[in-house]
């Protein structure tokens, strides 16, 4: 068998996008590792595994559902933050599984559980998806077809997040097993919180940075761009303020914290800054 060409860790190869390069690096690195693999169920391929590092004595949970980026899940920080849809632990696991007898027909057949799933994909962007199980009742399948976009792997459109709760309740009432994973539910909760913050900010500061309530927010007056930055940070819930030195990152952070405390019931805010600024 021809081995895949070795990828540079510092330069993007010609003809390869940065995203595919990073995915390739994780595939390359993952399949070189001497991790420990433990299957957590009796299913040989589409299962949950523990990938352990004997050197660091650390381990992560990996769920295998397919061969494409975004199909699988890992509990490691890289998978959660990179939005590549893969990581070295997933690639290590796939490399081991693909060597097993029966792997090719199993992956060609695909993942076909009896239960349905509500899960989070991380390919290019985070999005919530629904996968119908083989035992999915017609009524639940019909409701899912109306809510989720089948042309995009059963993706929940951004504007329909508010309808998800009713769908889950209806699915559970039918008696059908629907597994709604924590990361998907946390993502939905975060998006709904962001929508509520944006709606409340629009009511509190209808003129945005020019609103009188922003002008009188602190004892020190804010410049318009500083007021806009503070509103952006509150709307996002968390933010990196990357202005140049002297433009007022500190006052923007203080203003954002004041809005969160005064109008959103926030009691603690984490500010990361140089020791000299504390």
């Amino acid at each position: 068998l021809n081995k895949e060409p070795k990828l540079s860790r510092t330069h993007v190869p010609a003809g390869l996008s940065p995203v595919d390069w990073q995915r390739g690096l994780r595939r390359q690195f993952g399949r070189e590792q001497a991790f420990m693999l433990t299957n957590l169920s009796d299913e040989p391929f589409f299962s949950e595994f523990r990938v352990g590092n004997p050197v660091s004595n650390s381990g992560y949970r990996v769920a295998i559902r397919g061969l494409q980026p975004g199909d699988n899940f890992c509990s490691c920080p890289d998978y959660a933050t990179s939005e590549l849809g893969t990581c070295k632990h997933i690639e290590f696991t796939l490399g081991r599984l693909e060597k097993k007898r029966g792997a090719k027909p199993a992956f060609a057949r695909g993942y076909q559980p009896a239960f349905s799933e509500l899960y989070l994909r991380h390919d290019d962007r985070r999005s919530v998806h629904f996968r119908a199980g083989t035992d999915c009742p017609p009524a639940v399948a019909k409701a899912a077809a109306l809510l989720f976009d089948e042309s995009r792997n059963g993706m929940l459109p951004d504007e329909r997040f508010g309808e998800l709760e009713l769908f889950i309740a209806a699915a559970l009432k039918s008696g059908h097993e629907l597994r709604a994973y924590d990361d998907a539910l946390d993502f939905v909760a975060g998006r709904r919180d962001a929508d509520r913050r944006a709606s409340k900010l629009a009511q509190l500061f209808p003129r945005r940075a020019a609103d009188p309530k922003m002008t009188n927010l602190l004892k020190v007056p804010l410049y318009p761009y500083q007021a806009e930055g503070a509103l952006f940070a509150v709307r996002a819930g968390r933010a990196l303020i990357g202005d140049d030195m002297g433009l007022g990152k500190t006052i923007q952070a203080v203003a954002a914290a004041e809005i969160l405390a005064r109008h959103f019931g926030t009691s603690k805010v984490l500010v990361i800054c140089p020791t000299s600024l504390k």
Side-chain angles (χ1 to χ4, degrees):
L1 293 174
N2 293 327
K3 287 188 175 181
E4 295 180 6
K6 190 84 170 177
L7 294 175
S8 166
R9 297 183 67 178
T10 57
H11 298 90
V12 185
L16 206 61
S17 71
V19 169
D20 287 335
W21 172 51
Q22 286 299 314
R23 286 171 176 161
L25 283 176
R26 281 157 177 78
R27 175 183 172 88
Q28 178 176 284
F29 187 69
R31 299 186 184 215
E32 294 172 347
Q33 300 310 300
F35 293 147
M36 303 294 293
L37 187 67
T38 305
N39 192 338
L40 302 179
S41 81
D42 296 329
E43 164 60 46
F45 300 104
F46 302 111
S47 181
E48 292 197 3
F49 301 85
R50 186 185 185 278
V51 178
N53 187 334
V55 177
S56 64
N57 202 29
S58 62
Y60 297 101
R61 181 174 65 88
V62 169
I64 297 298
R65 299 294 183 258
L67 298 175
Q68 299 304 312
D71 285 347
N72 307 304
F73 168 81
C74 182
S75 61
C76 76
D78 180 46
Y79 180 81
T81 57
S82 71
E83 297 190 5
L84 294 170
T86 191
C87 67
K88 64 184 179 184
H89 308 103
I90 289 174
E91 294 299 338
F92 167 79
T93 306
L94 288 175
R96 290 282 294 272
L97 294 179
E98 286 171 352
K99 294 177 182 177
K100 293 182 65 174
R101 184 177 181 181
K104 194 170 183 178
F107 281 108
R109 185 171 60 250
Y111 178 52
Q112 298 175 341
F115 54 85
S116 296
E117 292 182 307
L118 193 67
Y119 66 102
L120 190 67
R121 290 181 71 99
H122 288 252
D123 44 342
D124 300 331
R125 54 164 288 190
R126 292 182 183 87
S127 52
V128 177
H129 292 252
F130 173 77
R131 181 189 287 115
T134 55
D135 290 348
C136 185
V140 175
K142 184 178 179 180
L146 293 172
L147 181 57
F148 298 92
D149 187 348
E150 289 301 319
S151 67
R152 303 176 70 182
N153 292 315
M155 189 187 82
L156 179 66
D158 290 350
E159 66 274 12
R160 311 279 307 264
F161 269 63
E163 302 173 48
L164 187 60
E165 228 171 271
L166 291 174
F167 171 77
I168 293 175
L172 294 176
K173 192 175 180 180
S174 73
H176 177 59
E177 183 181 359
L178 171 63
R179 297 187 181 181
Y181 297 111
D182 288 344
D183 58 340
L185 296 179
D186 288 346
F187 177 75
V188 171
R191 287 294 300 270
R192 293 183 71 178
D193 284 346
D195 289 343
R196 281 193 286 266
R197 282 196 304 274
S199 176
K200 190 168 183 178
L201 282 175
Q203 294 174 359
L204 290 168
F205 308 101
R207 295 176 59 190
R208 298 172 64 96
D211 197 277
K213 286 196 286 292
M214 281 301 297
T215 307
N216 302 317
L217 181 68
L218 303 177
K219 294 179 180 178
V220 178
L222 295 169
Y223 289 110
Y225 73 88
Q226 293 173 338
E228 201 64 62
L231 289 171
F232 173 86
V234 173
R235 194 176 298 110
R238 62 197 70 182
L240 292 175
I241 301 175
D243 288 339
D244 288 335
M245 288 182 64
L247 292 182
K249 293 184 291 293
T250 303
I251 200 66
Q252 289 179 64
V254 171
E258 180 65 23
I259 294 170
L260 287 166
R262 190 181 297 183
H263 300 292
F264 292 90
T266 300
S267 58
K268 291 183 180 179
V269 175
L270 175 65
V271 178
I272 300 172
C273 63
T275 305
S276 59
L277 191 59
K278 283 198 300 183

